[in-house]
Amino acid sequence: AIEYLWYVNPAQDEALFAEAALALRQGDLGAFDMYDAMWRREGRASEEMNRMRARSWLDVGDPVEAYAELRKGGSKLKRGAESRLMMAETTRRLGQLLDASRALSGALQGKLTGADSDAVNARILVDSGDLGGASALLSGYESEVDEEMIASRWYLARARGDIQAMAEEQAAFAISRTSSLRTLEQYIPLTMPQ
């Protein structure tokens, strides 16, 4: 499929985005940076590429740079659901819980629903000290194997001091994570002790 994309448009390389996404998933930031530089050199811009740049910063444990990338992404009102989720998680990792909550549920943008937003919201609840609320929110996702949901279950177990549950979720995370650079410890906000 990527080989096909190389030849679709003689004016620009249509495969760059796909190759950048694959490099990010494989944890190869050197390749990701190369494809990103080529994308920029062609003068192209997209919310998705901006979000991938932010994800690359989160994958190395730097929510400050991730936040800076997301802020370059344009108007808050034009952000799609994926960018709002990324902003919510990034601001949460920076300890900005009010901003994180607003990214998930804004008066003008509406409320995000579904497993992805519940995973982030559960971590916001844990950070707010509402372990019961986080537990209730995650109760319908016990068998979910998505890395974000697993991270939320681990995060709640960590807040409760449940070593066994943490170990189980850590093993599940190692299997489900899409990038080898991602660790559960990265989910702990910069303002909290590791």
Side-chain angles (χ1 to χ4, degrees):
I2 287 177
E3 206 170 301
Y4 170 77
L5 290 172
W6 288 340
Y7 303 105
V8 168
N9 185 346
Q12 59 189 19
D13 187 348
E14 297 298 337
L16 288 177
F17 183 86
E19 290 177 304
L22 287 172
L24 186 61
R25 285 182 65 94
Q26 294 166 352
D28 187 348
L29 293 186
F32 172 78
D33 289 342
M34 178 188 70
Y35 294 126
D36 182 33
M38 292 167 70
W39 178 271
R40 291 181 199 220
R41 191 169 46 242
E42 288 188 356
R44 299 161 82 178
S46 75
E47 184 180 357
E48 292 84 7
M49 196 64 155
N50 178 263
R51 191 171 55 247
M52 281 200 297
R53 278 185 220 111
R55 178 78 250 185
S56 74
W57 285 111
L58 287 181
D59 285 355
V60 295
D62 192 342
V64 174
E65 287 298 326
Y67 181 76
E69 280 295 335
L70 289 170
R71 296 288 292 179
K72 294 176 190 174
S75 168
K76 288 182 183 180
L77 293 177
K78 293 180 183 175
R79 286 191 189 132
E82 291 298 318
S83 290
R84 289 175 59 196
L85 284 169
M86 181 72 70
M87 182 60 84
E89 177 59 20
T90 300
T91 52
R92 187 198 67 78
R93 290 189 194 187
L94 292 170
Q96 301 168 4
L97 299 184
L98 187 58
D99 288 341
S101 293
R102 285 181 182 152
L104 293 179
S105 181
L108 295 174
Q109 299 167 306
K111 182 177 181 178
L112 293 177
T113 58
D116 292 337
S117 61
D118 285 348
V120 177
N121 198 28
R123 293 191 292 268
I124 292 170
L125 290 170
V126 169
D127 291 342
S128 301
D130 185 0
L131 303 187
S135 181
L137 192 58
L138 295 175
S139 65
Y141 299 104
E142 291 92 356
S143 60
E144 180 65 48
V145 295
D146 173 75
E147 67 183 305
E148 291 297 314
M149 196 57 72
I150 292 169
S152 292
R153 291 194 305 258
W154 174 86
Y155 198 66
L156 177 59
R158 178 184 176 274
R160 290 180 165 161
D162 186 340
I163 305 300
Q164 181 178 346
M166 286 176 67
E168 290 169 4
E169 299 300 347
Q170 190 161 11
F173 186 80
I175 294 168
S176 70
R177 68 182 174 177
T178 54
S179 169
S180 60
L181 297 175
R182 295 180 190 159
T183 67
L184 288 167
E185 289 72 22
Q186 292 169 342
Y187 287 87
I188 302 169
L190 295 180
T191 55
M192 294 176 72
Q194 297 286 325

